[in-house]
Amino acid sequence: MLADYIRKRREDRDILLMTHIVAGYPSFDDSLRIVEQMVEGGVDLMELQVPFSEPIADGPVILHANQRSLEAGSTVDRCFEFAEAVSQRFDIPFVLMTYYNILFKFGVQEFADRMAAAGLRGAIVPDLPPEEAGDYLEAMGRNELDPIFIFSPNTTDTRMSLISSRAGGFVYCVARKGVTGAETSFSADFEAYLSRCSAATELPLALGFGVKDAADVDFLRGQVDIAVIGTETLRVVDERGVEAVRGFIEELR
Amino acid sequence: MLADYIRKRREDRDILLMTHIVAGYPSFDDSLRIVEQMVEGGVDLMELQVPFSEPIADGPVILHANQRSLEAGSTVDRCFEFAEAVSQRFDIPFVLMTYYNILFKFGVQEFADRMAAAGLRGAIVPDLPPEEAGDYLEAMGRNELDPIFIFSPNTTDTRMSLISSRAGGFVYCVARKGVTGAETSFSADFEAYLSRCSAATELPLALGFGVKDAADVDFLRGQVDIAVIGTETLRVVDERGVEAVRGFIEELR
Amino acid sequence: MSEQGYFGEFGGSFIPEILVATFEELIAAYEEARADPAFWKTYVDLMGNYSCRPTPLTEAVNLTRHFGGARIFIKREDLNHTGAHKANNVMGQGLLIQRMGKKRVIAETGAGQHGVATATMAAKFGLECTIYMGEVDVARQRPNVFWMERMGATVVPVTEGSRTLKDAINEAFRDWVTRMDDTHYALGTACGPHPFPEMVSWFQSLIGEEARRQVLEQAGCLPSRVYACVGGGSNAMGIFGGFFEDDVELVGVEAGGAGLDSKAHASRLASSDATLGVAQGYKTYFLQNPDGQMNETHSVAAGLDYVGVSPILAHLSQTGRVRFEAATDEEVVDALSLTMQKEGLIPALESSHAFVQAFKEAPLMSPDEVIVINQSGRGDKDIFTIADAFGDPEWEAFIQKKAKEYDAR
Amino acid sequence: MSEQGYFGEFGGSFIPEILVATFEELIAAYEEARADPAFWKTYVDLMGNYSCRPTPLTEAVNLTRHFGGARIFIKREDLNHTGAHKANNVMGQGLLIQRMGKKRVIAETGAGQHGVATATMAAKFGLECTIYMGEVDVARQRPNVFWMERMGATVVPVTEGSRTLKDAINEAFRDWVTRMDDTHYALGTACGPHPFPEMVSWFQSLIGEEARRQVLEQAGCLPSRVYACVGGGSNAMGIFGGFFEDDVELVGVEAGGAGLDSKAHASRLASSDATLGVAQGYKTYFLQNPDGQMNETHSVAAGLDYVGVSPILAHLSQTGRVRFEAATDEEVVDALSLTMQKEGLIPALESSHAFVQAFKEAPLMSPDEVIVINQSGRGDKDIFTIADAFGDPEWEAFIQKKAKEYDAR
Ligand SMILES: Cc1ncc(COP(=O)(O)O)c(C=O)c1O
Ligand SMILES: Cc1ncc(COP(=O)(O)O)c(C=O)c1O
């Protein structure tokens, strides 16, 4: 399972990098080249987002990418083909990220089966709280896929425990209130928050939302297992092109 | 007084013609030439209308003439000058027609004095019912001016008597419901109406509102003393020019 | 001579002979209705079921705090069906029309408010309906024309005179003269020949009746002052009517336009520019020239932009029972803006005149005192005028874009 | 797992973790308020003093005669302050905001009606206010944007997705995620995560409570059927709420757009085009493609043009308690036109959907039967849309002329 991979990898590296792409944005060809650049740049694991028309928890940059991908004709099926291709070709774990309706319409069980078949290792479904996740957990469990859940600064300790008890792979900690990509300021409360997170779970911790340069990564070193770079790589692609991604990743550590 | 003039003149003529102009429309020069044409055409008496900005009882043609005259700078003073000029120059009686506010603002007494001084013989004030006419009647009486009032088809017999008791010169009978110039159709009730009018007053009767050609005048012959041609001469001026007025009048008898 | 319809030296009935019988019939019907308590009950029920009377009296807590003086209450005529107090008068006259058995109603309109109310009443009562509206007003108040037409009314643009309200009144009289047998002319304000000033005031008196009861209930006392805007005077007469017998100061606010010394205003009683005259069938103060010709008037609020004023108010001004003030266009836009932001209310530009004066006086009054402002109508019907008054560039861009869409058809 | 917020299989709360605490707080505040009779009284008083509740129930005598069947009564939510039932919900949530001590309110809006209502409430309660509105809607509903801004609200055009209502909802959630401490999101209809469907329905239940009492009083019996249009479902839940326990047939009317077989509609329950899904935080029938991506929908009425529907109504459809029908754009314009001409009422295009279905059924019913139509709002706010729906050439000419005036500046 993912947690083992992460712990193992952390023996060599003081922090892991997880990046994010929206499948099919700007195109599936580009998506493939971006993954390639990222892997070459040395990322340790990756989120592949299956676009959804109503990505309620994503900020404007990722929202935009979702929309463009769908406009370009992206389908769930095509995303799975893509996922299968990259997980066969590249030697890092890929997890899927999408909204619950994509699973629900597909059939949660069938979706999990298909994820497993594509070689994916887990999933992040930000609009699926553990209370609503019965079918999902079962389907994920049956396929040995990690259900990755989220902590946020206003999640209570009790609730963290509850979430942790359902979660697998790692826990995705939201660094600050807000949607993906907003300016992060690591507040005074930040350390208290992280120690609450660590105390609540045995699982590795990923920290996301707003990480954008080597300084941010440096700051996280020693505090969490994984730094998540989401929006920022999309910005790099948009502003400097696909070929700039590798350099951007390399500079992060 | 006017009644005597009318009775006298009726000895020679089976019907008299009274025409109407709006002083200063299209200009005072034209007004003078129109009066000239009318007198030459043989009219027996004339109404000079002092324009008012809110001529509530006039139809669109006369309303329009009121507006244009005012726009061209017509004033009450200028109208009196004009009245004085025509009554000196032409040998028929002139009566003034206007709305009560013109008298009221001028001062009713002063207005009557000024009418008399200008050689006018009476006045028609369509928005001044006898009930409101106390000052006016007094001022007119003091100047030996005839206060001409109006009968309409829905004026009751009692009210006709009341009106007659205040009126002088002649009574202006409205031929049909409506404002000046609307299409007249002499209805079955017409004769009954006229005999009510005759019964109610000793004064001569003028019939107005809608008389427009020789046939209309013919119809009135023997029924009333005066046929009033109002709107139609304005139409002749507007459509065929000032010089056409004389011919138009001549054709009426 | 009968002194019927006079209020001091004002009022009367200066009408063409041909209308005399019609007015007698109307006066008789009105007096009969007025003497019949069942009529008033029918009227109140109708206004309760069809409009939303009693309209609320809203305490303006934020404005009160903002000015730190008298407690401000707002009488909400804006919540009437069709959006203004005009509905009261029109529905009342509708009941009279039924009583008289007439089949057709005509009306003048300036801003369009009274026209919309009349067209609405005509639809409800199944009457044929013609609305006279100055050509200038037709052009600038197209939304109201649209609604009148949709309701089945014929809107006739009046092309003579200043082509505004007073000309529409003249034209309505002209129509009436030709069809008085089957037609009633529903005059829109407390002006014109008797019985209109008195009758319209009677229908509008619902406002004051309610307001008096409500303010006693909500504030526990009578107001020190009551403010209303004055065009023809109907909403003012309506709310003042509840307080004539009380020790309450009544304040009428006229259109100050570009300022009282600019001539571009419509203040008959608050300025010294108006003089006594007789027009449109009644005697009152008019804005007229020395010859007695009516002047052009100006106000940002079309409904106040009128040369005459209710003879009853002229009388009450003379006796000192009602105090008259004027609010300029600029002050009006400011008061409107403040009221929107503080209370979420959108008074009509007309009504905003009353707010201006109240806002000037409230801060000077004691927190123990209460004042009532009559919000005679809602402003959201007048978006074209209000957007222009604010000079909103986004609005202009929107209209330009919309026009291009239409051009492309 | 908690079954809180479920109605049969519909509803629930599918929200990002970061909002969980906020929703817990909201649910607690809501449940406390609901258990506190003083809260409801404060709410009813507020609606009585600030809006004009109880809104009348108007008997449509002429329409009844026209159709010659059931007696038609119309519940007049159009007379609410700001012109629609939306005010009820918003003022209720305003009181909750006060209870929670928050200082800022955000809302989504489609047609602009809910945005105007929220901006109004924010002005009244002294709250900072941001309204999210699809860019397409900002462009076509500029008058409402104008009023929101004048009331002091910030209107943010949403430029992603279909740039209409659902995108505005997403954007409002995005805002809330970043500022939930001081901000309340006042959702505008009976949709979204728990407690919104239930809470909004509760606030709107005033409509049904009043209507039941009024129809008993005025008709002496319960109605056979009650009709309401269904966008998100709040006005329908509001009026239906008064009759759930009675033997009264409840009819929800959705947007049939260009016809149910055209795909250009917004019928989730009356058509078979919608399927179960989870989006915008709740589970219901959505108009979506087989992948679960939401479709573009269409209606002449912006307020009905939405992909989802109240989970409570989805449940009531499944149980058969509420019957669902659809009205096409064309039928809607005809029903609106007839209602204006016969009754002098201007239902909003949304509300006119309910009228369509009632008009289809009334003639087939007996004169002993009574039906109630919920007139959820007034149409005169939507003159641009309605004039376009009627294709009025004079309106177009007016706009073109107005644009030229602006061009000339
Ligand atoms: C909202 C509103 N208030 C006031 C007025 C002025 O009329 P009155 O003085 O008769 O109340 C009008 C006239 O159109 C109006 O529409
Ligand atoms: C007048 C009116 N009616 C109905 C609706 C639809 O909403 P709901 O279904 O929540 O009542 C709207 C939405 O904007 C509206 O403005």
Side-chain angles (χ1 to χ4, degrees):
Chain A
M1 308 287 279
L2 264 179
D4 296 334
Y5 166 82
I6 293 164
R7 288 193 193 103
K8 186 106 195 298
R9 192 109 171 167
R10 279 277 273 114
E11 288 167 12
D12 305 331
R13 307 187 173 201
D14 52 6
I15 192 149
L16 307 189
L17 296 183
M18 178 167 84
T19 53
H20 165 276
I21 66 159
V22 174
Y25 176 80
S27 67
F28 279 98
D29 287 351
D30 284 332
S31 290
L32 184 62
R33 288 165 54 220
I34 296 166
V35 174
E36 198 170 55
Q37 292 264 320
M38 287 175 169
V39 174
E40 286 172 8
V43 306
D44 302 289
L45 69 173
M46 274 193 71
E47 275 180 85
L48 303 180
Q49 180 164 0
V50 178
F52 179 46
S53 58
E54 320 302 316
I56 208 167
D58 281 302
V61 176
I62 294 179
L63 164 62
H64 181 81
N66 273 260
Q67 299 289 349
R68 293 303 91 76
S69 173
L70 289 173
E71 279 166 22
S74 178
T75 61
V76 174
D77 220 55
R78 184 76 189 77
C79 289
F80 274 126
E81 285 167 18
F82 175 77
E84 192 159 1
V86 294
S87 47
Q88 273 174 11
R89 183 159 153 200
F90 302 104
D91 193 26
I92 58 164
F94 291 89
V95 300
L96 188 140
M97 185 251 165
T98 195
Y99 288 82
Y100 187 52
N101 199 46
I102 299 297
L103 286 70
F104 183 81
K105 269 298 274 184
F106 201 93
V108 174
Q109 183 60 56
E110 293 79 355
F111 196 93
D113 296 350
R114 184 81 191 264
M115 276 201 286
L120 291 161
R121 304 286 295 277
I124 304 172
V125 187
D127 65 342
L128 186 68
E131 290 87 346
E132 301 279 3
D135 296 352
Y136 167 75
L137 288 172
E138 198 194 311
M140 295 292 278
R142 219 181 305 161
N143 283 284
E144 299 197 352
L145 292 167
D146 283 317
I148 299 152
F149 281 96
I150 294 168
F151 284 174
S152 93
N154 51 18
T155 308
T156 58
D157 291 348
T158 345
R159 189 172 168 82
M160 281 187 179
S161 304
L162 168 90
I163 292 170
S164 172
S165 73
R166 310 262 155 86
F170 59 93
V171 172
Y172 195 129
C173 304
V174 177
R176 67 181 291 277
K177 296 169 196 169
V179 290
T180 51
E183 195 69 29
T184 309
S185 73
F186 295 118
S187 72
D189 303 331
F190 181 66
E191 285 191 30
Y193 167 51
L194 275 194
S195 57
R196 287 209 301 123
C197 295
S198 317
T201 187
E202 305 278 282
L203 291 170
L205 299 182
L207 194 101
F209 291 20
V211 176
K212 61 178 193 305
D213 55 24
D216 289 343
V217 174
D218 268 351
F219 175 84
L220 293 178
R221 231 178 278 273
Q223 308 219 51
V224 294
D225 301 289
I226 305 169
V228 184
I229 302 100
T231 300
E232 199 58 25
T233 43
L234 269 177
R235 286 214 188 93
V236 169
V237 171
D238 286 349
E239 285 164 20
R240 290 153 54 197
V242 173
E243 310 305 325
V245 171
R246 179 178 173 167
F248 167 71
I249 301 290
E250 283 171 350
E251 279 165 19
L252 286 178
R253 3 193 169 226
Chain B
M1 307 285 280
L2 262 180
D4 297 332
Y5 166 82
I6 293 164
R7 288 193 193 103
K8 185 105 197 296
R9 190 111 170 163
R10 277 277 275 115
E11 290 168 12
D12 306 330
R13 306 187 173 200
D14 52 5
I15 193 151
L16 307 189
L17 296 183
M18 177 168 84
T19 52
H20 164 275
I21 66 161
V22 174
Y25 176 79
S27 67
F28 279 98
D29 287 350
D30 284 330
S31 289
L32 183 63
R33 286 164 56 221
I34 296 167
V35 174
E36 197 170 55
Q37 292 264 320
M38 286 173 169
V39 174
E40 285 173 8
V43 306
D44 303 290
L45 69 172
M46 276 193 70
E47 276 179 85
L48 303 181
Q49 180 164 359
V50 177
F52 179 46
S53 59
E54 321 301 318
I56 208 167
D58 282 301
V61 176
I62 294 178
L63 165 62
H64 181 81
N66 274 260
Q67 299 290 349
R68 292 304 89 76
S69 172
L70 289 173
E71 279 166 24
S74 179
T75 60
V76 173
D77 220 55
R78 184 76 188 77
C79 290
F80 274 125
E81 284 167 18
F82 175 76
E84 190 159 3
V86 293
S87 46
Q88 274 175 9
R89 179 156 155 206
F90 301 104
D91 192 25
I92 58 164
F94 290 89
V95 300
L96 189 141
M97 186 250 161
T98 194
Y99 288 82
Y100 186 52
N101 200 46
I102 299 297
L103 285 72
F104 184 81
K105 269 298 274 185
F106 201 93
V108 174
Q109 183 60 56
E110 294 78 357
F111 196 91
D113 296 349
R114 183 80 192 262
M115 276 201 287
L120 290 161
R121 306 285 296 275
I124 305 173
V125 187
D127 66 341
L128 185 68
E131 290 87 347
E132 301 279 4
D135 295 351
Y136 167 74
L137 288 172
E138 197 194 312
M140 295 292 278
R142 218 180 305 160
N143 284 286
E144 300 196 352
L145 292 168
D146 282 317
I148 299 153
F149 281 97
I150 294 168
F151 285 173
S152 95
N154 51 19
T155 307
T156 59
D157 291 348
T158 345
R159 189 171 169 81
M160 281 186 180
S161 305
L162 169 88
I163 292 171
S164 171
S165 73
R166 310 262 155 86
F170 59 92
V171 172
Y172 195 130
C173 304
V174 176
R176 66 181 289 279
K177 297 167 195 170
V179 288
T180 51
E183 197 67 29
T184 309
S185 73
F186 294 118
S187 72
D189 303 332
F190 182 65
E191 285 191 29
Y193 167 50
L194 275 195
S195 56
R196 287 211 299 123
C197 294
S198 317
T201 187
E202 305 278 282
L203 290 171
L205 298 182
L207 193 99
F209 289 21
V211 177
K212 63 179 192 303
D213 55 24
D216 289 343
V217 174
D218 269 351
F219 175 83
L220 293 179
R221 228 178 279 273
Q223 308 218 49
V224 295
D225 301 290
I226 305 169
V228 183
I229 303 99
T231 300
E232 199 58 25
T233 43
L234 269 177
R235 285 214 188 93
V236 169
V237 172
D238 286 348
E239 285 164 22
R240 290 154 53 199
V242 173
E243 310 305 325
V245 171
R246 178 179 172 165
F248 167 71
I249 300 292
E250 283 170 350
E251 278 164 20
L252 285 178
R253 359 195 171 227
Chain C
M1 321 250 150
S2 144
E3 283 298 312
Q4 203 189 33
Y6 269 92
F7 308 90
E9 59 182 311
F10 309 99
S13 183
F14 295 82
I15 50 174
E17 180 57 29
I18 193 140
L19 278 175
V20 167
T22 307
F23 269 90
E24 278 171 1
E25 182 194 357
L26 175 62
I27 291 168
Y30 158 62
E31 285 179 348
E32 233 181 83
R34 189 146 182 172
D36 175 6
F39 180 87
W40 188 253
K41 189 179 166 340
T42 308
Y43 170 59
V44 171
D45 286 353
L46 174 66
M47 295 313 290
N49 285 332
Y50 186 64
S51 193
C52 72
R53 305 215 70 93
T55 57
L57 182 73
T58 302
E59 178 162 9
V61 184
N62 302 325
L63 285 170
T64 300
R65 195 180 312 118
H66 179 76
F67 288 112
R71 274 175 79 185
I72 303 174
F73 286 79
I74 298 172
K75 178 63 174 163
R76 300 291 303 284
E77 292 304 300
D78 60 305
L79 289 173
N80 267 301
H81 183 48
T82 75
H85 72 292
K86 298 281 175 192
N88 304 327
N89 168 38
V90 153
M91 297 309 296
Q93 293 200 41
L95 290 176
L96 263 191
I97 292 172
Q98 288 197 316
R99 233 178 144 97
M100 294 187 287
K102 298 198 166 181
K103 296 281 168 268
R104 179 169 176 266
V105 63
I106 59 174
E108 87 291 349
T109 197
Q113 199 59 57
H114 177 58
V116 169
T118 304
T120 300
M121 179 273 278
K124 165 101 183 146
F125 285 145
L127 305 171
E128 197 188 321
C129 178
T130 298
I131 304 292
Y132 292 95
M133 189 168 182
E135 195 179 40
V136 171
D137 291 327
V138 168
R140 62 187 174 188
Q141 308 283 348
R142 172 59 56 183
N144 285 333
V145 176
F146 177 81
W147 296 120
M148 290 182 245
E149 290 180 346
R150 292 297 139 196
M151 232 97 68
T154 305
V155 179
V156 178
V158 176
T159 55
E160 289 297 335
S162 56
R163 294 169 298 146
T164 59
L165 180 58
K166 72 175 178 55
D167 311 283
I169 294 180
N170 292 338
E171 209 55 38
F173 274 117
R174 262 175 219 118
D175 176 314
W176 208 11
V177 160
T178 65
R179 291 194 56 177
M180 59 269 193
D181 289 346
D182 71 340
T183 297
H184 174 70
Y185 172 20
L187 214 152
T189 188
C191 289
H194 180 71
F196 284 112
E198 190 182 306
M199 182 173 77
V200 173
S201 299
W202 182 52
F203 288 128
Q204 295 292 2
S205 70
L206 252 188
I207 306 172
E209 232 178 62
E210 292 174 6
R212 188 177 193 280
R213 180 163 25 90
Q214 290 166 326
V215 73
L216 282 173
E217 222 172 271
Q218 293 177 39
C221 64
L222 285 173
S224 305
R225 301 180 196 169
V226 174
Y227 299 85
C229 68
V230 178
S234 67
N235 87 85
M237 280 304 301
I239 194 154
F240 293 168
F243 302 95
F244 281 137
E245 310 306 320
D246 301 311
D247 182 23
V248 170
E249 188 175 8
L250 306 173
V251 186
V253 188
E254 296 183 304
L260 290 194
D261 44 11
S262 72
K263 303 278 168 212
H265 65 74
S267 297
R268 293 78 25 120
L269 300 172
S271 84
S272 52
D273 290 351
T275 53
L276 200 57
V278 176
Q280 309 210 304
Y282 68 113
K283 186 187 286 184
T284 194
Y285 278 98
F286 286 100
L287 289 162
Q288 53 184 335
N289 76 11
D291 262 7
Q293 313 294 355
M294 297 301 139
N295 292 338
E296 301 240 335
T297 54
H298 165 79
S299 171
V300 68
L304 304 187
D305 199 354
Y306 176 56
V307 289
V309 65
S310 176
I312 314 184
L313 288 175
H315 177 59
L316 294 168
S317 171
Q318 206 173 51
T319 64
R321 181 66 190 91
V322 178
R323 165 160 63 92
F324 285 85
E325 304 285 353
T328 65
D329 292 353
E330 220 181 291
E331 291 170 333
V332 160
V333 172
D334 289 348
L336 169 57
S337 194
L338 187 73
T339 307
M340 284 194 267
Q341 283 172 30
K342 289 285 171 198
E343 300 290 346
L345 302 179
I346 312 182
L349 286 165
E350 287 81 5
S351 321
S352 298
H353 284 71
F355 286 71
V356 168
Q357 191 61 29
F359 292 174
K360 285 182 189 165
E361 301 182 12
L364 311 173
M365 296 171 73
S366 133
D368 297 339
E369 289 182 277
V370 164
I371 63 177
V372 173
I373 308 172
N374 196 27
Q375 183 172 341
S376 55
R378 56 175 148 89
D380 64 336
K381 296 200 74 118
D382 302 330
I383 187 162
F384 285 90
T385 326
I386 295 187
D388 285 353
F390 278 99
D392 188 66
E394 303 250 38
W395 172 258
E396 298 185 5
F398 166 67
I399 294 298
Q400 286 163 329
K401 196 171 137 276
K402 203 79 199 150
K404 282 209 191 86
E405 278 170 44
Y406 294 146
D407 291 343
R409 294 253 175 97
Chain D
M1 322 248 151
S2 145
E3 284 297 313
Q4 203 188 32
Y6 270 92
F7 308 90
E9 60 182 309
F10 309 99
S13 183
F14 296 83
I15 51 173
E17 180 58 28
I18 194 141
L19 279 175
V20 167
T22 306
F23 270 90
E24 279 171 2
E25 182 193 358
L26 175 61
I27 291 167
Y30 158 62
E31 286 179 348
E32 233 182 84
R34 188 146 183 171
D36 176 3
F39 180 85
W40 188 253
K41 189 177 166 341
T42 307
Y43 170 58
V44 171
D45 286 353
L46 174 65
M47 294 314 289
N49 285 332
Y50 186 64
S51 192
C52 71
R53 304 213 71 91
T55 58
L57 182 72
T58 302
E59 178 163 9
V61 184
N62 303 324
L63 285 170
T64 300
R65 195 180 312 119
H66 180 76
F67 288 113
R71 275 175 78 185
I72 303 174
F73 286 79
I74 297 172
K75 179 62 174 165
R76 302 289 304 284
E77 292 303 302
D78 60 305
L79 290 173
N80 267 301
H81 183 47
T82 74
H85 71 293
K86 297 282 175 192
N88 304 328
N89 168 39
V90 154
M91 297 308 297
Q93 293 200 42
L95 290 177
L96 264 191
I97 293 172
Q98 287 197 316
R99 233 177 144 98
M100 294 186 289
K102 298 198 164 181
K103 297 281 170 265
R104 178 171 177 265
V105 63
I106 60 174
E108 87 291 350
T109 196
Q113 198 60 56
H114 177 58
V116 170
T118 305
T120 300
M121 178 274 279
K124 165 100 182 146
F125 286 145
L127 305 170
E128 195 188 324
C129 178
T130 298
I131 304 293
Y132 292 95
M133 189 167 182
E135 194 179 41
V136 170
D137 291 326
V138 168
R140 62 186 176 189
Q141 309 282 348
R142 171 59 55 184
N144 285 332
V145 176
F146 177 81
W147 296 119
M148 290 183 246
E149 290 180 346
R150 290 298 140 195
M151 232 98 66
T154 305
V155 179
V156 178
V158 176
T159 55
E160 290 296 335
S162 56
R163 294 168 297 147
T164 58
L165 181 57
K166 70 175 177 56
D167 310 282
I169 294 181
N170 292 338
E171 208 56 37
F173 274 116
R174 263 176 219 116
D175 175 315
W176 208 12
V177 160
T178 64
R179 291 196 55 179
M180 60 269 191
D181 288 346
D182 71 340
T183 297
H184 175 69
Y185 172 20
L187 214 150
T189 187
C191 289
H194 179 71
F196 283 112
E198 191 182 305
M199 182 173 77
V200 173
S201 300
W202 182 52
F203 288 129
Q204 295 293 2
S205 70
L206 251 188
I207 306 173
E209 232 178 61
E210 291 174 6
R212 188 175 192 282
R213 180 164 23 91
Q214 290 167 325
V215 74
L216 282 173
E217 224 173 87
Q218 293 178 39
C221 64
L222 284 172
S224 304
R225 301 179 195 167
V226 174
Y227 298 85
C229 68
V230 178
S234 67
N235 87 86
M237 280 303 301
I239 193 155
F240 293 168
F243 302 95
F244 280 137
E245 309 306 320
D246 302 311
D247 182 22
V248 170
E249 190 176 6
L250 306 174
V251 186
V253 188
E254 295 183 306
L260 290 194
D261 43 12
S262 72
K263 304 278 168 212
H265 65 75
S267 296
R268 293 76 29 117
L269 299 172
S271 83
S272 51
D273 290 351
T275 54
L276 200 57
V278 176
Q280 309 208 302
Y282 68 113
K283 187 187 285 184
T284 194
Y285 278 98
F286 286 100
L287 289 162
Q288 54 183 335
N289 77 10
D291 263 8
Q293 313 295 355
M294 297 300 140
N295 292 338
E296 301 239 335
T297 53
H298 165 79
S299 170
V300 67
L304 304 187
D305 200 354
Y306 176 56
V307 290
V309 64
S310 175
I312 314 183
L313 288 174
H315 178 59
L316 294 169
S317 171
Q318 205 174 53
T319 64
R321 181 67 190 91
V322 178
R323 168 159 62 91
F324 284 86
E325 305 284 353
T328 65
D329 291 353
E330 219 181 290
E331 291 170 333
V332 160
V333 172
D334 289 348
L336 169 57
S337 194
L338 187 72
T339 306
M340 283 194 268
Q341 284 171 30
K342 290 284 171 198
E343 300 290 347
L345 301 179
I346 311 182
L349 286 166
E350 288 80 5
S351 321
S352 298
H353 284 70
F355 285 70
V356 168
Q357 191 60 30
F359 291 173
K360 285 181 189 165
E361 301 182 12
L364 311 172
M365 295 171 72
S366 132
D368 298 338
E369 288 182 278
V370 164
I371 63 177
V372 173
I373 307 171
N374 196 26
Q375 182 171 342
S376 54
R378 57 175 148 89
D380 64 336
K381 293 200 75 115
D382 301 330
I383 188 163
F384 284 90
T385 327
I386 295 187
D388 285 353
F390 278 99
D392 188 67
E394 303 250 40
W395 172 257
E396 298 185 5
F398 165 68
I399 294 299
Q400 286 162 329
K401 197 171 137 275
K402 203 80 199 148
K404 282 207 193 87
E405 279 170 42
Y406 295 146
D407 292 345
R409 295 253 173 97

